[in-house]
Amino acid sequence: MKSHVKAVVIGGGVVGCSVLYHLARAGWTDIMLIERSELTSGSSWHAAGGFHTLNGDPNVAKLQAYTVQLYKELEEISGQSCSLHLTGGVMLADSPERMDFLRLAHAKGRYLGMDTELITPSEAKKMFPLMDEKHFVGAMWDPVEGHLDPSGTTHAYAKAAKKLGAEIVLRNPVKELTQDPDGTWNVVTEQGTVRAEHVVNCGGLWAREVGRMVGVELPVLAMEHMYLLTEPMPEVEAFNKETGREMIGVLDFKGEIYTRQERNGILLGTYEKACKPWSPVNTPWDFGHELLAPDLDRIAPSLEIGFQHFPGIANAGIKQVINGPFTFAPDGNPLVGPVQGLTNFWVACGVMAGFSQGGGVGLALSNWMVNGDPGFDVWGMDVARWGEWASLRYTNAKVRENYSRRFSIRFPNEELPAARPAQTTPLYDTMVANNAVMGDSWGLETPLWFAPKGTEPKDIVSFHRSNDFEHIGNEVRATRDRVGVTEIANFAKYEVSGPASEDFLNRLMTNRMPKNGRIVLTPMLNEFGRLIGDFTIAKTGDDTFMIWGSSAAQKYHMRWFEKHLPKDGSVRIHRFDQTLVGLSIAGPKSQELLARLVDEDVSSKAFRFMDFREMAVGGAPCLVNRITYTGDLGYEIWMAPAYQRLVYKAIKDAGEEFGIVDFGMRALLSMRLEKNFPTWFRELRPIYGPFEGSMERFIKLEKNDFIGREAAAREHAEGPKLRRVSFYVDAQDADVMGDEPIWAKIGAKDFGTIEKPHGYGAPRFDETGKEVRGSDAATGASAVRGIVDGDWRVVGWVTSGGYAHYVEKSMAQGYVPAALAENEAEGLFEIEILGHRRPARINVEPPFDPSGDKMRG
């Protein structure tokens, strides 16, 4: 065993072996994988081995598509068979709501390059005759599904990595991790200590324990998972003989089960409601190639429904029941990336769908380690998406909820209850008493909308407009016509100070920094000129700045800030989180209202749009920005939590004469649509350039050599291929939710130069694993081919939207080819909503206050 390497990967499951292989393929051959026992000794060896490309997050789906594409190449490189069975599969819908869910998934597949197809139950039965079609209303067929040999696949990654020069050390538990002042890691094992520049935690069942070695509590929990294997079935053998092919995989939402053929029988697995965690506090180090005791009683309700839906399986004998643990994060997606606050400590764990996602995880993480960027939008997998509130008990409660809902529909207006409330502001009880429907915003309870007194504050979950629609409209209209107040504690808040603070921020941000007492809006780019942040910045003193951003990105952005901090201590950064909370007042009466709360001049001449000031509001010391996300006249008021109740009461008391209303997050998001304002992690993501995102007025290419400037200048000179646009949509009783395809009516001659949107689409990769973008005849990566209906073609996708209540329009934002981005013609665009294509029209100017006169006062 070597004593010094560039990187150590801890854990020899499919994810660890994939990371090792991809690092070696990227050119890092001085690397080592250390495994406590044998390869696949955790969850990999007893996995059901299924794979698919469909995922609720299109960006994760891209990496799943890469994983499936990789297997044949992996077999060729390693000489090891993965035993691929590309059977295809169907998802079965037993209700109209589940059919709506499949329509949404099918629509996403249009711009992901997936060949999914909506089919009838009778068509599904022809492919899987063991089912009883009377229980279902429809289905979706996906040809890129199947299964493989988990052990063979893991060893294929390992053999390929070793051929490229990587080292694998087995039967060698890691005992301790320490770090020297120069950043070098000491990986202390039973066989000795290895010094490494990088450490990657691919510990699987033991990832939590490896994290604890460096003081990190990773939000991951192992759950018991059962599947059974039947005895050989004559029906299966007859189908194989008659058709010459294997039975397809089937997912039954109602039964919470999945099935596929296994030899001459059937494998049937469940995600039962009565789920059971395994070792919720500590994972025993001596656990290995073992299974857990079966508990058929626990999965009996699912089996009962399954046997009704699949009577062909009901009479089959059970040959074996497999019960083994595997790990989940609270939302079911992996935990990948560098851990904020540590140097060169990486994680790739919580990958519950290892044979669908393992290759993509390995590719993204190796890109990140080698090139400084994952090369994809991996926010859905980024470990930084969880805050400190994701504690052990929070994780245990949330993972149980996620597991039990694995095959349940998540409606766009559905808030899940487990582990809540995790964080609350001083106004939480007041908001609840005001009949607020509360939502979870990065672990913080936030008012979404307010139900009328005497009615239950509860969402009726739906893909269509629901019981909140009228009341959100009332909140919007009252705010736009008079004045409203909302809680904004769920923003991220930072202070940057020190003698080099302005130089530091000028290096990170695309806009010029403000003068004392002024505010700017600014994006932040990575080295490749992609959008990684969007901030409000106020200069509060000679060497001090306040920054506001997306709460969900706090650890994501702190990781970036820390990476670029000067080593000499000339810049300090403090994240406030919930030690600074806020309220916003907005509407035409907001200035008169503020004047009654302060003892100084807040007229438009004295306190201008985009001014910052420290002042007492209602007697409490506050920071006040003259800006709001509503796009109306208004103010953001920030205070220590101890003062929030005082300021809120003062606002409500003084606002009574103006007819003040409380409004929630959904009303705020409705109002931002009317201004064509983007949101972070929907419109603005690391797959878009600043000019694609229509952020040009905040990009000052001439100011200095900020990070990403060269790439941004190149995008500006060449012209963006895509543009963010806003649409009016002729919707009926359902508005867009995000990720719907955008169709355009254009002839083939016009369409020929339009490239595939590089944010989505079935990805193509070169021999290094880099995604090939744009038209490339050699790889077949030309744009949006095959998604055609006469003259209509899918040219883009929706990022977000909803109903804009004040202008009484259904609206959407999304990305289309730049050549189409300013075409406001009727009849050019359609947006697919729940399987129905609805007419849409671009609106270049925002429908509310396009001149900006109202917000400037």
Side-chain angles (χ1 to χ4, degrees), residues 216-221 328-330 335 350 383 386-387 390-391 394-395 399:
V216 173
E217 186 67 36
L218 291 169
V220 63
L221 173 68
F328 283 80
L335 302 174
V383 65
W386 300 104
S391 62
Y394 173 94
T395 298
V399 167

Side-chain angles (χ1 to χ4, degrees), residues 490-634:
N490 61 331
F491 285 32
K493 292 87 58 176
Y494 316 87
E495 183 182 74
V496 176
S497 60
S501 57
E502 186 156 353
D503 290 340
F504 171 72
L505 290 173
N506 264 318
R507 172 71 177 146
L508 262 61
M509 306 296 172
T510 65
N511 205 346
R512 295 185 183 90
M513 289 303 100
K515 297 178 180 178
N516 274 333
R518 292 290 288 165
I519 296 168
V520 297
L521 305 177
T522 179
M524 182 169 72
L525 308 179
N526 62 19
E527 295 96 330
F528 307 97
R530 299 292 167 185
L531 289 161
I532 61 168
D534 180 43
F535 301 99
T536 300
I537 299 181
K539 188 170 186 180
T540 59
D542 289 340
D543 295 316
T544 307
F545 295 83
M546 282 293 300
I547 304 178
W548 292 269
S550 168
S551 63
Q554 289 183 63
K555 294 180 91 58
Y556 175 88
H557 287 142
M558 281 296 293
R559 189 171 63 193
W560 185 259
F561 295 154
E562 290 169 354
K563 178 180 179 179
H564 295 282
L565 278 175
K567 305 298 184 186
D568 60 5
S570 58
V571 178
R572 299 176 297 279
I573 184 162
H574 172 70
R575 176 168 72 97
F576 288 95
D577 203 6
Q578 294 312 308
T579 63
L580 187 68
V581 295
L583 296 162
S584 178
I585 56 175
K589 297 296 184 181
S590 59
Q591 189 175 76
E592 293 178 64
L593 171 57
L594 183 63
R596 284 162 168 72
L597 300 170
V598 300
D599 299 312
E600 51 190 284
D601 186 359
V602 290
S603 65
S604 293
K605 187 175 182 179
F607 192 30
R608 301 165 296 166
F609 177 61
M610 301 291 279
D611 268 357
F612 163 87
R613 190 179 298 178
E614 296 184 40
M615 64 179 81
V617 180
C622 295
L623 311 175
V624 183
N625 295 333
R626 204 191 132 180
I627 188 174
T628 80
Y629 194 45
T630 66
D632 212 324
L633 175 64

Side-chain angles (χ1 to χ4, degrees), residues 789-801:
D789 178 11
D791 290 335
W792 289 91
R793 300 167 187 256
V794 171
V795 297
W797 58 93
V798 169
T799 50
S800 71

Side-chain angles (χ1 to χ4, degrees), residues 724-736:
R724 174 178 65 86
V725 295
S726 178
F727 288 95
Y728 295 127
V729 186
D730 183 15
Q732 293 179 320
D733 67 336
D735 303 296
V736 302

Side-chain angles (χ1 to χ4, degrees), residues 257-271:
I257 59 178
Y258 59 90
T259 72
R260 66 166 175 82
Q261 183 173 337
E262 174 68 16
R263 297 186 183 275
N264 294 328
I266 291 291
L267 179 152
L268 186 151
T270 70
Y271 283 89

